[in-house]
Amino acid sequence: MTHDVLRLKIIIRGAVQGVGFRPFVFRLAEELKLKGWVSNTTQGVFIEVEGEKNTLHHFLLRVQNEKPPRAFIQSCEHSFLDAAGFSQFEIRESANEGKISTLVLPDSATCPDCLSEIFDSSNRRYLYPFTNCTNCGPRFTIIQSLPYDRDNTTMKPFTLCKECSLEYHTPANRRFHAQPNACPLCGPHLELWDEQGKKLSSHHTAMQETVTALAEGKVVAVKGLGGFHLMVDAKNEFAVKQLRQRKHREEKPLAVMFPSLESIVHECEVSELEKYLLRSPESPIVLLQKKMNVEQTHISLLVAPRNPYLGAMLPYTPLHHILLHKCGFPVVATSGNLSDEPICIDEHDAVKRLHGIADLFLVHNRPIERHCDDSIVRIVAGREMLMRRARGYAPLPIYIRTENEDTVLAVGAHLKNTIALSNGSNIFISQHIGDLETVQAHNAFKKVIHDFQKMYEAVPQKILCDAHPEYLSTKFAKAAHLPTEEVQHHYAHVASCMAENELHGSVLGVSWDGTGFGLDGTIWGGEFLLTDEHSFRRTATFRTFPLPGGEQAIKQPRRVALGMLYEIFCEKMFEMSELCSLQAFTKEEQKILRQMLVKKIHSPLTSSAGRIFDAVASLIALQQISSYEGQAAIELEYAATLHRNDERYPFAINEQPATNTQRDASLCIDWEPMVHAILSDLANKKTIGYIASKFHNTMADIIVAVAKKTGEQRVVLSGGCFQNVYLLELVVQRLQSENFQPYWHQRVPTNDGGIALGQVYAAMRK
C-alpha cells in the first residue's frame, strides 16, 4: 500500500435510508475506482473509501451535491485515516448498534419511472398496484424498526422472486436495495370483499369490479398506503349524500381524488405552485379555489357545500393511479373512519368499524404498520402552509440547535393531536392523530407514543403536556411516573412557530384560537405574548365575556353571541327581539339562558379570538349551530373573501394596571365599539359579505395596533385562527407595511397539530 492512498471515513445523518443512498454511493465509488464499503446503521449511513486524496475530496463533494432526490443530509462528518487495504467496494449488512439518530423517511408518491412501467403492457409490472423503487413507495407506514432493511418492514413475509432479487442485488438497477421491491409473482395482491368480509374476487378482477361498483354509486372502502379511504363517485349526488348520511358527516367538506391534473384544472383555479404540490413526492390534498363559471362541473355540490374551496389531490400510489385511470372520473376519497376515530389500517378491523358505511372493501395483504392520513396544504402569501401534517411529511423532524441531549416526550393538545419526541437536536413530530374524543383515538395516541419510543429506541426523561387538567393527553402525562412539565397552550403555539422559523429571544407572539386553558382559570384564546430568552409575559388580550353552556357554546355560535351581547347590554339584551342570535332560540330556551347568564351558572369567561369570530357569524345570521369544528369562522372567511372592502370598525385598547405575573395583561382590547357598529350596519341592511370583510379588516388592525404599542419588531402569528387565509395574508401585509417582521407557519400546522413541537421548544428555552 503506497503512502499516497488514504482512507476517508464519512458518517452521514439525515433522511438517508430508503432513498437509494447506498446504491448511489456504490455507483459513485465504482465510477471513481475507489475501494471500501457503505452500510446503513441506526445513526445514519457509514462510508469508508480508499484512494488518492484528491479523488477522495472529489468523492466527498459529489456525495453531498449529487445525492438522491429524496435524500436530506443533516450532517456529514468526515475524517482522513490511514489506509486499511480494501480490495473492492461493497454494500455491507446493516449494523444495529448505537443510539438511533437516523431519520425515517415519509412515504413517497409514485415516481415517473414506476408510473411508466405500470401502464406499459409489455412490462412485467403492467397494472401491478404495488410497484415501487428506491425513489418512491412506502417507507414510514411499513417500517417496524431501524435500520431500514426488508427484514425490518412489513414486506418481510414476501420472498423476492428470481427477477426481483436480481434487481435488488444489481448496483446499476433502480431497485438496487429497494426494500419494498415486489412484482405480481412475489408481492402483495388485491382482493375485493363484501360487507361481511367474504372474498368476492382477487388480483386485477378485484380492481375491475371496484371500478364497476363506484360507477354504480356504491361506497367502497379502499386500503391504501397509510389506511383506508371511503370512496364514491364525486359527481354522483345520491352516492355522496349516502356517504355523508352513513358516516354522520353532515357538511364538513370531503376531499376529492382526480384522475389527472387536467381534470383538476377543469374544476379549480390552480397556480404553478399548487400544480407543483399536487405532483410532488408528498402529493398532499391541496385546498384550491373552485372556478366560479365552470361550464360543466363534474363534482357534486354536496362534496363541499357553500364552500368556495375544494380539497383536491392526485393519485399517489400505483393502486390509486390504476383505479382512477380505469374510472375516468373523480372520486371522493375521505378517511376510512367514523367521526373522531383514527383511520382504519387493518382489513378485518375495517370490516367491523366501517360496517354499515361501506358496501365493499378493496383490500390487500401488505400489512400497514401505522396509520397515516393524507396531508392537507394550502397556499398562503405565496408559500406552502400545512394544515394537517401526515403522509409525505411525517415523521421528518424539526432541527433545533441545542446542547441538551435529554430525550423529552411532548404529548400535545386534545384536538388535532400530534406527539413529539426530542432526541438531541432533532424534534420528531408524529403524523396527525386527531381529536382525543374516543377510546379508539386515545388508543391510537398511546400506540404512536409507543411506536416512536421503539423506533428511535428512546426513553424519555421528562414528559411535557398542556396545562389543561382534563385533556386526555395531560392525564396520560401525569400517570406516566416520570417528571412532567406543563406548558401553557398559547405559549406552546408561539413557541412552535418560533421553532419552525429558528427564532430566539424576544418576539411578540399573537396566539389566536378557540380554546386554551388560561393561567388565571379563564378560557384564553386571543393572546399577545411577549417572549424573552426563557419564557413569556401576557402583554395584551381581549375583553372577556361569558360562554353560556361552556362546551355547548363551542358548537353553537348563537350561545357565544348571546354571551358577548349580555356583557354589553345585560338583561336588556333579551328584549332586543330583532337580534338574529336571540331569534335562534325558543322563548323557553331564552329563559334558561337568561338564568345561566344572570346567576353565572356554567358560563365560564373567555378572551378567545375564535369565539369572537363565532359571535359575529351568529350576529349576521351566517351560522347559528356548527356541524363541524370551526364551521362558523370558516364560512365567515368565505363571505369576506367574496366581498372584499377596505372598511374598518372601531375598537379600543385600554391600559390595565401593570403586574409582575404572566397572567394579567397590561392591555385590554375592547370589542364593544365594533359590536355596536356591526349592529348598526345590520340595521342599515348592509350585506353579510360587507360586514364579514369589514370585521376581518378590523381584527388585522388590532394586531398592528398592539404591535405598535409593544414596539417589538418580530411578530409571530400562530393558532387556529391563522388558518384563515384572508386574515393571515392581510395581517402579514399590514405588518410589513408598518416595518414589522411577521413570521407564520409553513411545515408545521398553525392549529393544535403544532402544539407538541411548541411544548418541546418552550421547555428547551426554559
Side-chain angles (χ1 to χ4, degrees), residues 308-326:
Y309 291 91
L310 188 66
M313 62 177 154
L314 288 171
Y316 54 83
T317 72
L319 188 158
H320 293 118
H321 276 287
I322 297 164
L323 182 62
L324 270 291
H325 174 75
K326 289 192 168 293

Side-chain angles (χ1 to χ4, degrees), residues 723-749:
Q723 293 177 120
N724 182 321
V725 172
Y726 185 116
L727 176 69
L728 180 55
E729 290 187 336
L730 185 59
V731 170
V732 168
Q733 176 191 329
R734 292 278 288 110
L735 286 169
Q736 289 173 339
S737 70
E738 297 285 350
N739 297 316
F740 291 98
Q741 179 60 57
Y743 297 89
W744 64 98
H745 289 270
Q746 297 175 73
R747 309 291 285 184
V748 176

Side-chain angles (χ1 to χ4, degrees), residues 435-454:
D435 300 350
L436 304 184
E437 300 278 4
T438 64
V439 172
Q440 290 87 348
H442 194 219
N443 289 339
F445 161 78
K446 291 186 286 186
K447 182 183 184 302
V448 171
I449 291 172
H450 176 265
D451 218 18
F452 265 50
Q453 292 178 211
K454 177 187 173 187

Side-chain angles (χ1 to χ4, degrees), residues 155 221 334 512 527:
M155 286 298 293
T334 188
W512 284 8
E527 314 311 317

